Amino acid sequence: MLTLHLADAVRTAWDAAPLTGAGVAVEGTRVAAVGPAAELRQRFPGARERHWPGVLGPARVHEGPLPEAPSPRERVHAVLKLGAAAVLAAAVDTPDLRDVARRTDVAVLPAVRAAAVVPGGRADLAVFDADGTCLATVCAGRLVHRRR
């Protein structure tokens, strides 16, 4: 299934200039295209559309220890609520945490990497409002957190 994630602005990298009235086409676990909403609708007619207020861009890499929570699932979900779809291997230091990360499709990385939204790349996206609150996180093409 193909989904168009459309937003007020889209950044392919957080230090890139924003594209206004744009979106990201996601097919399965991968980014199919990035561009103006009208062009994406024309290129992918009949695609499911999700409209997000705020700025859509690459999901973050959580660089520190996972937040404390009562269960491994809640610890991983706390990271997703921050707009991260990847964690460092050192942070998932128990079999239970590694299992939850795997089941949730959270990328486990040996080191920090630059996050970007590029065609063919893994569809890890996050939407932030003007005050920096994460509104939604998409992990490997799947919506895993939505604030509202």
Side-chain angles (χ1 to χ4, degrees), residues 55 59-60 78-84 125-138 145-148:
V55 180
R60 296 177 173 159
V79 169
L80 298 171
K81 288 170 51 176
L82 297 173
L125 311 171
V127 181
F128 296 93
D129 70 9
D131 72 2
T133 300
C134 179
L135 302 176
T137 306
V138 174
H145 163 66
R146 178 173 40 201
R147 184 167 183 89
R148 50 178 204 117

Side-chain angles (χ1 to χ4, degrees), residues 59-87 91-92 97 100-101 104 106 126 128 132-139 144-147:
R60 296 177 173 159
V61 176
H62 186 77
E63 298 183 31
L66 300 186
E68 288 300 321
S71 72
R73 187 194 69 73
E74 291 168 293
R75 292 182 73 192
V76 170
H77 188 71
V79 169
L80 298 171
K81 288 170 51 176
L82 297 173
V87 297
V92 286
L97 284 173
V100 171
T104 318
V106 170
F128 296 93
T133 300
C134 179
L135 302 176
T137 306
V138 174
C139 190
V144 293
H145 163 66
R146 178 173 40 201
R147 184 167 183 89

Side-chain angles (χ1 to χ4, degrees), residues 3-142:
T3 302
L4 301 181
H5 292 273
L6 307 173
D8 298 337
V10 173
R11 291 182 184 265
T12 55
W14 288 110
D15 60 354
L19 305 168
T20 57
V24 178
V26 173
E27 187 165 23
T29 64
R30 299 288 170 192
V31 173
V34 179
E39 288 179 20
L40 293 175
R41 285 186 182 111
Q42 184 176 24
R43 185 170 167 196
F44 304 104
R48 176 183 186 182
E49 292 187 17
R50 289 190 181 272
H51 297 267
W52 302 109
V55 180
L56 176 122
R60 296 177 173 159
V61 176
H62 186 77
E63 298 183 31
L66 300 186
E68 288 300 321
S71 72
R73 187 194 69 73
E74 291 168 293
R75 292 182 73 192
V76 170
H77 188 71
V79 169
L80 298 171
K81 288 170 51 176
L82 297 173
V87 297
L88 298 180
V92 286
D93 55 357
T94 69
D96 288 341
L97 284 173
R98 287 189 294 274
D99 184 54
V100 171
R102 180 189 52 76
R103 285 189 324 233
T104 318
D105 289 323
V106 170
V108 178
L109 307 174
V112 176
R113 61 152 167 76
V117 178
V118 296
R122 187 175 136 124
D124 290 340
L125 311 171
V127 181
F128 296 93
D129 70 9
D131 72 2
T133 300
C134 179
L135 302 176
T137 306
V138 174
C139 190
R142 188 167 54 103

